[in-house]
């Protein structure tokens, strides 16, 4: 039941790249929360896991990693590249053919922000999604007044020539 996503037990996890955090603080970013709250595949309800698997398979992705993500007001992730550390460790992956898909669970609300490869993304609708390859730089922030909910689907894509 999609309606329960707000009541799930999300957990805040530290941003796992301290070099990037130092770069942020050196230029003046001093936020309390550099990451949102996560519910990874091990705690996902069946409906979310099934949806994420079907979505990833429809995109032709293998070795799926699925999570729900809650970004609370005041949470800011300045420009960064994902490290995929846990995903790579779980799937024993040492290459860069990783694709991250962010699916918006709710319609955009004022103060919810995403920027991917220098392109701002806003005014999305529930069900819209955006994807990027391994080392794409992006920004996420919630400077609004309401929580921002997304699903993340991570997987391996086949290289094409």
């Amino acid at each position: 039941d999609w309606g329960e996503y707000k009541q799930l037990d999300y957990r805040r996890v530290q941003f796992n790249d301290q070099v990037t955090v130092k770069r942020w603080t050196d230029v003046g970013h001093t936020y309390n929360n550099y990451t949102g709250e996560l519910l990874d595949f091990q705690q996902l309800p069946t409906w979310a896991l099934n949806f994420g698997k079907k979505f990833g398979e429809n995109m032709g992705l293998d070795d799926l990693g699925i999570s729900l993500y809650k970004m609370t007001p005041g949470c800011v992730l300045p420009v960064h590249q994902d490290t995929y550390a846990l995903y790579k460790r779980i799937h024993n992956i040492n290459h860069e053919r990783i694709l991250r898909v962010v699916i918006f669970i709710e319609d955009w609300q004022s103060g919810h922000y995403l920027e991917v490869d220098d392109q701002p993304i806003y005014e999305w609708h529930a069900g819209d999604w955006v994807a990027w390859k391994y080392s794409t730089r992006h920004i996420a922030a919630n400077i609004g007044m309401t929580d921002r909910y997304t699903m993340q689907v991570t997987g391996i894509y086949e290289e094409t020539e």
Side-chain angles (χ1 to χ4, degrees):
D1 176 14
W2 278 98
E4 75 172 312
Y5 67 90
K6 290 184 177 184
Q7 281 74 45
L8 298 172
D9 190 21
Y10 295 85
R11 304 277 183 197
R12 190 170 312 279
V13 179
Q14 289 292 91
F15 191 78
N16 64 3
D17 182 354
Q18 293 308 306
V19 172
T20 298
V21 171
K22 182 172 180 355
R23 190 172 69 243
W24 293 338
T25 57
D26 285 352
V27 299
H29 291 286
T30 56
Y31 308 105
N32 289 332
N33 298 319
Y34 283 117
T35 61
E37 298 174 10
L38 186 69
L39 192 68
D40 69 20
F41 71 95
Q42 296 162 330
Q43 293 90 30
L44 284 180
T46 303
W47 59 264
L49 195 56
N50 289 343
F51 178 85
K53 283 182 180 179
K54 186 73 168 170
F55 191 94
E57 289 167 359
N58 286 343
M59 291 195 68
L61 299 176
D62 294 317
D63 296 328
L64 295 174
I66 301 158
S67 60
L68 291 173
Y69 191 72
K70 177 171 94 171
M71 189 170 239
T72 56
C75 180
V76 177
L77 266 165
V79 65
H80 67 284
Q81 298 167 304
D82 293 333
T83 64
Y84 307 96
L86 178 62
Y87 176 81
K88 289 168 87 173
R89 189 169 57 248
I90 288 171
H91 294 283
N92 195 27
I93 294 168
N94 61 5
H95 57 75
E96 297 181 354
R97 290 191 335 261
I98 298 173
L99 187 75
R100 165 72 44 90
V101 183
V102 171
I103 305 163
F104 299 101
I105 296 176
E106 297 181 325
D107 290 347
W108 175 84
Q109 296 178 47
S110 178
H112 295 185
Y113 187 74
L114 178 64
E115 183 177 299
V116 178
D117 204 17
D118 299 325
Q119 297 299 308
I121 299 167
Y122 56 95
E123 295 183 351
W124 56 74
H125 297 284
D128 287 351
W129 57 273
V130 62
W132 58 84
K133 291 184 178 177
Y134 185 77
S135 60
T136 302
R137 293 165 38 104
H138 55 285
I139 298 168
N142 184 350
I143 55 172
M145 302 299 286
T146 59
D147 294 334
R148 186 190 97 169
Y149 293 91
T150 57
M151 175 179 277
Q152 295 180 349
V153 177
T154 305
I156 300 300
Y157 59 91
E158 286 297 317
E159 272 189 307
T160 56
E161 310 223 44

